[in-house]
Each structure stands twice: as structure tokens, then as C-alpha cells.
Amino acid sequence: MPRVVSLFLPSWSTDRLRRKLGDVSPPSDKPLVTVGRHGNRRLVTAVDRAALEAGLRVGMPATKAQALVQGLAVMDAEPDADAEALERLALWALRRYAPIVATDPSDGLVMDTTGADHLHGGEKLMLIDMVKRLSQAGILARAAVADSWGAAHAVARYVRQTVSVVAVNATYDAILSLPIPALRLPDAMVSGLRVLGFDRVGELLKQPRAPLTLRFGPELGRRLDQATGRLAEPIEPVRPADAIEVKRAFGEPIGAAETIARYVGKLVQALCLELEAKGLGARRLDLLLYRVDNRIEAIRVGTALPVRDVKRLTRLICDKIEKIDPGFGIELMRLSAPLAEPLTPRQTISSLIEQRDADISDLIDILGNRVGEERLYRFTPVASDVPERSVRRVAPASVETGDAWPDHWPRPARLFAVPELIEAIALLPDHPPASFTWRGIRRRVRRADGPERVFGEWWKRDAELAAVRDYFQVEDDAGERFWIYRAGDGEDVATGSHRWFLHGIFG
């Protein structure tokens, strides 16, 4: 079952102009609209969020908009520049999220993410990441995923949620309550349907098809079938002008898994030669298989480091061949490297004295393509005395920073991301607890070591100027060892609340 993502950019034109002007301030600061000519009239062609909240709408006269909102920023519409920027955004999404991405003019993108969402932790996390990254760039966005392009397009634009995930085989129910314009129908047809009393998609789906087709033509039925997934809607993916790719066309369609795997090996070998000629290694590979029924099947694999090893890349792709549905046959295979990085030759180990560095990138690639790249990480130290700030997650194959783990005091094997509040009985200011209660269980302290005093990072926040924590390593009657601390120095209330927290567990 294909899964299609629609990325809706409700104020694409105005957001683009803000970024062009170097203004990424909140939209509420100064409302902005773009204006274009329609015959002899100057009409509003796009509004940002602030202008929308002020009551401005696309299609209203520019003079009326300026009269309604004092100090309104008005700029000339640039449809060609908008389309060009949307194309660049599609190429960004192609390299990062999915092998099949196309523009959905004039305010969105469409992607077939089948088989690629697991690399980002699943569909919902992938959509959240898309919206978050665009928001950081000053672009307002909403995203939806469904079984069809029509349904994803409709939900992204007419469901007031930033991220919407329509479950597999739930497309029909998801679009029933949406308004008729969600079907991407011409304005004249929408007006005609409303004259007849139709307002929701579900009302149209319950009607006999023949009378509607006789009155409005085949377009209405086609859009209904596309929205419900009965009629396939192929996505023609964008291709970078400098794409590194190879392809193979077949006189007779192929469909057997063994045949596909054999030609995958040949394509990978040809692609690696192209990469070698440019001094690059692949970080991401896309295999597109064009079926005779005009549908595209896709496989995406990623690597932790730049690679152009034929056997390794072939194995990664062939591991996913079983997910391919060849249908009535595949007539074209296209293999590309949308993400490639410099890969310089290295001298092989030849001396008896030198030791070969351990290379687990192959294992990382296998696990990453099975469970998702976002789920693989390692911890690296950060220069900070505050325990929860002294460690962070990085990619498994990222370069070492050179920072070392602290060794002057032992640290627990399991450090809580958020310290948990406990009830403790202790003498102030320097004594460890005699007992403490954690998660409803009272524990008597048999041995303790401390305190280790940790000060706040005053250069980051004024609130940490006087902040203090006193840490203790304690062992209970059962032999379990805990890392607990008191907020404050035990004397001055300004240094902390003097409450006790459990921050980690040893062993």
C-alpha cells in the first residue's frame, strides 16, 4: 500500500519574501500580503498568518486590504520566483526524506514515502521533523500522510492540525466530512455543486455517479476516485540537474526478484564508477522501478559514512527487494545518489606494527536501514559540570570531539534525563540521608559517600548564579546504589529548594 505525504505551505509566497528580505521575525509583527494583476485589477494573491488573522483574504482588492489594515506591508507577487523556490524546496526534501518528491503548485509538495519513513523513526516523527525544520527557516507548514495523493492533499489543507496521520485503509472515512474544495475541483464546478446543495465530500460519494458525470463531466468522478485511492495518481519526481545516477531500460518487463537483484548489482557497479570519477561516496541511494502501469516503486537506503563499495551497497538494496511489488512488470530501473560526500582514498595497513582501526560502519548501515537511522545513536561527553548537560546524543559514526568523560568522581551507569523527586530524612547541611522514599518504596541508607558539590552555570542564566547541588552516592540494605542530590547548600534558601532528587542508578 503506497503512503503519500502532502506538505502544505499556506503562506509560501509571503514566507519566501520574508526570508528573501532577511526577516524571520514572528508573522504577527507586521502583516504582509502579495499583490498581482488580474486584468486591470490589483488583487491580493497571498497573505501571511498575521494578515489572515486581520481578516484579509486571497482574491480581495488590494485597495480594500490596505484600507482594512493600517501599516500593511504590500509586495508585488513573484509567481515565477515562487515556483523556482518551491522546486528547490522539493530537491531539499528529496535528499532528506523520500526518493519520490514533486511540487504540488502553488503551495505545497507531495512525496511518496513508502519504505522511507522508517529511516526517520516512523511517519509521525518524520512529519514533525519536516514541519519543525521549515518553521526554523521561517516557513509555516502543515503535513499529512494518507494512502493517496488526493486524500493527503485534502487533509493537509482542510484539517486544522499541524501534523495528520491517516491510518492505512482509513482514507475513505478521513475525507467524508471535508468540504468539496478539498477535491481540487475548479471554482466553477464547486459553485455549481453548492447550488445543488452539496457541501461535503461524503455527500458526493453517496450519490449515483452517472447524473453527476452527465452534468459536470468526468473530472468530478476522477477526483473522487483519486481521493479515495481507487484511481492511481502517479507522482513525477523532481531530478537534480547534477544528479549522479544510472539507469537501465528493458525491452521486456522484468518481475522476478532474482532478476531485479542481478540488475541492481550492475547498476550499483556503474554508479560506483561515476562516484569514483568525482571523488565521492554515497550517503544515500534511491532505486526507482518504473512499472508498466505507470506506477513507481522505490527503495531508499542510507549509510553512516560515504561509501562506494559495490558489494556493500548491493547488499543494502537487495535486502529490501522483497518489499517491491513489480505488478505486471518493470520496464525501467533508475539508481541515483541524491546525497554524496567526498571520499578520498586511504593507505591500506601494510606494516606489522600498525593496527587496523575497528570499522563498524557496515553494521551501523544494516541496523539503520532496518530499524531507522533516527533510532541509532551513541553518547558523547560535553564539557559541563551539570550532569544532565555533560552528555548528548550524536550519530553513531560521527567524528570524536576530543572531550573526555569526567573521571574525578564516579558517575552512574544509568543517568535519568529528568531527576525524580524523592522524600529523604537527613541532617543539614552536609549529612547524607538516613533513608529516602522513591516511587513509593522506603529505603534505608546503609553506606554513603559525599557530598560532591556542583555549581550552576552562571554564564548561561542569571537564575544559576547561586544554584548549588550536593550529590551523594548511597547504598541501601539490599545493596542497590543510587546517586541522589539535594538542591541547595543546606543553609541558604537562595541556593535551592533543599528538596532531594534521585538522578541515577549505579550498576
Side-chain angles (χ1 to χ4, degrees):
M1 175 68 68
R3 296 293 282 172
V4 181
V5 169
S6 179
L7 189 64
F8 174 44
L9 312 170
S11 54
W12 170 246
S13 181
T14 53
D15 288 344
R16 184 189 67 81
L17 288 173
R18 283 187 183 279
R19 296 174 69 243
K20 179 181 177 181
L21 297 173
D23 179 9
V24 292
S25 57
S28 58
D29 287 351
K30 48 181 180 180
L32 173 65
V33 301
T34 63
V35 174
R37 287 199 172 275
H38 185 74
N40 294 326
R41 305 174 63 196
R42 296 181 73 247
L43 303 179
V44 173
T45 59
V47 298
D48 69 353
R49 182 163 50 188
L52 188 66
E53 293 174 353
L56 305 187
R57 297 291 183 268
V58 173
M60 70 165 36
T63 53
K64 182 179 179 180
Q66 289 176 301
L68 289 175
V69 179
Q70 296 297 324
L72 177 67
V74 179
M75 300 191 69
D76 291 333
E78 300 176 352
D80 292 339
D82 289 343
E84 184 180 348
L86 195 62
E87 187 90 7
R88 291 196 300 269
L89 187 66
L91 293 175
W92 168 79
L94 172 72
R95 293 185 177 95
R96 181 162 190 88
Y97 293 109
I100 301 178
V101 181
T103 60
D104 192 3
S106 59
D107 57 5
L109 302 178
V110 59
M111 316 175 201
D112 187 337
T113 58
T114 309
D117 57 277
H118 72 284
L119 297 176
H120 306 278
E123 291 179 338
K124 186 172 183 179
L125 291 178
M126 179 179 64
L127 298 186
I128 292 174
D129 185 65
M130 288 181 192
V131 173
K132 180 180 178 181
R133 289 180 181 275
L134 290 172
S135 177
Q136 291 172 346
I139 300 173
L140 183 65
R142 295 207 303 264
V145 59
D147 294 341
S148 68
W149 181 351
H153 179 99
V155 172
R157 285 157 177 77
Y158 292 91
V159 174
R160 298 300 179 183
Q161 293 181 3
T162 303
V163 168
S164 301
V165 178
V166 179
V168 177
N169 297 323
T171 299
Y172 190 90
D173 294 333
I175 65 174
L176 288 178
S177 60
L178 299 182
I180 291 175
L183 293 174
R184 297 175 290 169
L185 298 172
D187 293 339
M189 191 179 297
V190 171
S191 300
L193 289 168
R194 284 176 171 167
V195 169
L196 295 178
F198 296 110
D199 188 56
R200 300 290 169 181
V201 174
E203 298 169 358
L204 288 175
L205 290 172
K206 296 176 183 178
Q207 298 300 314
R209 188 68 59 85
L212 293 175
T213 303
L214 183 62
R215 177 153 186 169
F216 296 101
E219 176 74 3
L220 177 58
R222 185 171 68 90
R223 288 303 192 188
L224 285 171
D225 289 340
Q226 287 175 344
T228 56
R230 296 174 184 170
L231 182 63
E233 191 172 3
I235 301 172
E236 186 61 35
V238 295
R239 310 306 308 169
D242 57 347
I244 304 173
E245 64 178 25
V246 293
K247 60 182 179 180
R248 182 69 177 261
F250 306 101
E252 292 291 334
I254 64 172
E258 297 81 3
T259 306
I260 296 173
R262 183 169 69 253
Y263 284 105
V264 164
K266 295 180 179 181
L267 288 175
V268 170
Q269 186 174 9
L271 185 70
C272 286
L273 291 176
E274 296 282 343
L275 292 169
E276 185 177 6
K278 297 183 178 182
L280 300 174
R283 285 292 312 278
R284 191 152 290 155
L285 288 182
D286 289 341
L287 177 65
L288 302 184
L289 303 102
Y290 294 78
R291 304 189 338 184
V292 294
D293 60 357
N294 204 28
R295 179 176 165 182
I296 303 176
E297 295 284 318
I299 293 177
R300 165 162 285 193
V301 297
T303 60
L305 297 172
V307 176
R308 57 171 180 256
D309 183 286
V310 175
K311 291 184 178 179
R312 180 168 165 181
L313 294 176
T314 301
R315 183 179 68 249
L316 290 176
I317 296 176
C318 289
D319 284 346
K320 295 180 176 295
I321 285 182
E322 61 183 13
K323 298 181 179 180
I324 293 297
D325 178 12
F328 295 106
I330 296 167
E331 59 184 359
L332 175 68
M333 292 174 59
R334 187 191 303 269
L335 180 66
S336 65
L339 183 60
E341 296 178 358
L343 178 61
T344 56
R346 292 187 302 174
Q347 178 67 41
T348 57
I349 301 299
S350 58
S351 172
L352 296 177
I353 301 176
E354 295 178 305
Q355 293 185 357
R356 184 182 300 274
D357 294 333
D359 184 9
I360 61 170
S361 60
D362 193 10
L363 175 62
I364 294 173
D365 294 343
I366 294 174
L367 295 176
N369 286 284
R370 289 182 181 177
V371 304
E373 295 175 350
E374 300 294 332
R375 298 183 181 181
L376 292 182
Y377 57 86
R378 65 180 178 85
F379 292 111
T380 187
V382 179
S384 176
D385 287 333
V386 181
E388 62 267 30
R389 300 175 187 169
S390 65
V391 61
R392 64 185 176 95
R393 294 181 179 183
V394 296
S398 57
V399 180
E400 294 288 348
T401 61
D403 293 327
W405 296 101
D407 55 1
H408 53 287
W409 281 91
R411 291 292 183 258
R414 181 186 175 192
L415 183 70
F416 295 166
V418 179
E420 297 189 14
L421 182 66
I422 59 175
E423 296 179 1
I425 299 175
L427 293 175
L428 298 180
D430 296 326
H431 289 75
S435 66
F436 66 93
T437 302
W438 175 51
R439 296 183 179 178
I441 299 177
R442 185 174 179 271
R443 302 172 186 270
R444 191 169 66 88
V445 176
R446 185 172 61 179
R447 296 185 180 90
D449 188 16
E452 174 193 356
R453 179 155 291 182
V454 173
F455 294 91
E457 296 178 334
W458 52 267
W459 59 91
K460 290 186 176 181
R461 293 191 307 166
D462 291 341
E464 297 188 29
L465 283 171
V468 171
R469 290 180 185 175
D470 282 343
Y471 279 88
F472 294 87
Q473 301 173 50
V474 301
E475 181 179 324
D476 66 4
D477 288 334
E480 294 183 89
R481 297 172 63 229
F482 304 91
W483 204 41
I484 64 178
Y485 74 86
R486 181 189 64 240
D489 60 6
E491 298 177 324
D492 187 359
V493 179
T495 61
S497 64
H498 292 169
R499 293 190 296 178
W500 290 86
F501 296 85
L502 192 148
H503 204 166
I505 300 175
F506 291 91

